[in-house]
Amino acid sequence: MKKIFGYCRVSSNSQNLSRQLEELKKQGIDDRDIFFVIQSGKDFNREQYKLLKKMVRSGDCIIVT
């Protein structure tokens, strides 16, 4: 069965994820299937991103905000 995941990121704690999270929830994505990161964009060594990559299977969809 195809599953839909969400992924969002901001660069610092001073930025707000709420708008991105709200948009993913409007798409019908469950909280447990949304992965988010508060980290600089200088590299891709992000734990939540790595976890998302382990969860996704062929045919799944990732919506990135």
Side-chain angles (χ1 to χ4, degrees):
M1 175 187 240
K2 178 180 161 181
K3 190 163 181 104
I4 300 175
F5 295 93
Y7 181 80
C8 53
R9 183 191 69 82
V10 293
S11 296
S12 69
N13 284 325
S14 64
Q15 295 177 319
N16 195 328
L17 278 170
S18 62
R19 191 187 75 202
Q20 294 180 57
L21 294 170
E22 183 179 316
E23 184 59 37
L24 292 171
K25 290 177 185 179
K26 282 182 187 176
Q27 299 292 324
I29 303 171
D30 291 330
D31 287 341
R32 68 175 185 220
D33 297 326
I34 296 175
F35 297 80
F36 63 90
V37 176
I38 301 173
Q39 184 177 340
S40 169
K42 71 179 182 174
D43 65 48
F44 231 61
N45 188 20
R46 303 176 188 147
E47 293 304 316
Q48 286 291 298
Y49 176 74
K50 290 177 185 178
L51 180 58
L52 174 59
K53 286 190 345 183
K54 289 181 182 179
M55 302 282 294
V56 174
R57 301 290 177 246
S58 180
D60 289 348
C61 178
I62 301 173
I63 296 177
V64 179
T65 58

